[in-house]
Amino acid sequence: MTTPPATEGGEGTGATAARLIGRAMTSERALSGTLSEVTLTGGRVVMVKRGDGPGALRAEAAGLYWLADTGTVRVPAVHGHDERWLVTDRVPPGRPSGEAAARFGRDLAALHAAGAPAFGSPPPGGPKDAYIGLAPMRNIPGTDWPRWYAEHRVLPYLRRAVDDGTVRPTEAAVVERVLERLPELAGPAEPPARLHGDLWNGNVLWGADHHADHHVWLIDPAAHGGHRETDLAMLHLFGCPHLDRVLDGYQETAPLADGWADRIGLHQLFPLLVHAVLFGRGYAEQALAVARAALAR
């Protein structure tokens, strides 16, 4: 057993599990500096996560509850949380399969159809100042998707990238021209969807259960009300096993508007600029390439 990391107040992983769940820890395997796989008395295995920023875990827990409430996609159960720690079920690892991918596509369509009060709506109980990965993300409600997306999902990260020197001002003007044209590029108006919000491949787990088939589980949401094509664009950006089967299942349940594939790049501007802020110039160049392609349409 590894030595449990301690918080600034001195509480370690074992003490956290006991306080939040009411069971003592029997063993722990650290997966990163902030995440541990913990076995509790009685044999239950949970994930214990330490928070990276103010409100981050409260936002994540609220997102997991909000997604779970739909009865659509599978998410790990939340066993306890506070401002510093989050305890959830561990997802037994499985293997990707076409059948599970098609089921995931149908479930994701149903999740999106569950809706949200507005674009930018946080989950009930979730903070306005949330996170996407390690980057702050503000959930400010809006009714017009092109305007909301420009003001609250693209421009904050574009400005930060310019301030950091990752994007030059002349390059930022290219993205700003795309945002000016969003009303004509965005396609037919859609109601606010209930988004996972950070749907890259690392947050899509191919789990196993007691049956022969496997299921997809979603972790680490940055849940909010948004455009459903944004979740799908993120799956395209970072790859997903059997993505064609995921899309087939999605389209069977809730067909996408004509031209959706041409709009993938517009929805990728948000995660690409987030990654440019967090990880540097390479992602900025991808964002600029996407913006130039949109202007060439």
Side-chain angles (χ1 to χ4, degrees):
M1 183 177 75
T2 58
T3 302
T7 68
E8 293 175 1
E11 184 180 57
T13 307
T16 298
R19 176 171 58 83
L20 293 178
I21 307 177
R23 294 191 190 182
M25 179 182 75
T26 61
S27 65
E28 174 195 9
R29 183 165 68 99
L31 303 179
S32 71
T34 59
L35 185 67
S36 293
E37 182 182 287
V38 171
T39 302
L40 306 172
T41 54
R44 178 169 228 154
V45 181
V46 296
M47 308 303 292
V48 179
K49 183 175 184 179
R50 192 169 74 248
D52 291 310
L57 294 185
R58 183 157 61 92
E60 183 174 335
L64 288 170
Y65 287 131
W66 199 42
L67 302 187
D69 282 347
T70 65
T72 56
V73 295
R74 295 187 175 212
V75 297
V78 176
H79 292 294
H81 68 93
D82 58 20
E83 288 297 316
R84 292 284 298 169
W85 298 92
L86 173 68
V87 182
T88 63
D89 271 340
R90 171 184 175 268
V91 177
R95 294 185 304 275
S97 72
E99 183 180 350
R103 184 186 300 112
F104 170 45
R106 295 191 293 270
D107 292 346
L108 184 63
L111 170 69
H112 290 164
F119 299 110
S121 289
K128 178 174 70 175
D129 292 309
Y131 284 81
I132 178 166
L134 298 176
M137 182 184 78
R138 300 201 79 197
N139 285 317
I140 307 294
T143 56
D144 177 72
W145 183 79
R147 179 182 299 174
W148 170 83
Y149 183 69
E151 290 181 3
H152 302 296
R153 287 299 179 264
V154 177
L155 284 174
Y157 305 100
L158 180 64
R159 290 167 181 150
R160 169 81 178 272
V162 171
D163 289 345
D164 292 346
T166 308
V167 172
R168 291 183 281 274
T170 53
E171 295 172 328
V174 177
V175 178
E176 290 167 348
R177 284 199 295 275
V178 173
L179 299 183
E180 290 170 0
R181 290 187 55 193
L182 264 185
E184 66 179 273
L185 296 174
E190 297 220 3
R194 190 170 306 198
L195 299 190
H196 175 279
D198 192 9
L199 199 60
W200 73 287
N201 186 48
N203 289 339
V204 177
L205 303 185
W206 301 82
D209 56 25
H210 299 298
H211 307 287
D213 56 352
H214 297 163
H215 295 270
V216 168
W217 294 72
L218 302 183
I219 61 170
D220 295 348
H224 61 278
H227 197 300
R228 61 185 180 139
E229 291 176 11
T230 303
D231 266 354
L232 297 175
M234 199 172 292
L235 282 177
H236 278 84
L237 180 60
F238 296 111
C240 177
H242 303 290
L243 181 56
D244 56 337
R245 295 293 304 277
V246 175
L247 294 172
D248 287 346
Y250 193 104
Q251 294 270 40
E252 289 171 11
T253 304
L256 294 159
D258 289 346
W260 70 270
D262 295 330
R263 296 187 290 272
I264 289 174
L266 292 176
H267 292 271
Q268 289 178 343
L269 279 174
F270 166 43
L272 283 171
L273 287 168
V274 169
H275 278 69
V277 166
L278 293 175
F279 305 116
R281 178 67 187 177
Y283 288 105
E285 291 174 351
Q286 288 187 55
L288 291 167
V290 160
R292 293 185 181 108
L295 290 174
R297 283 171 50 192

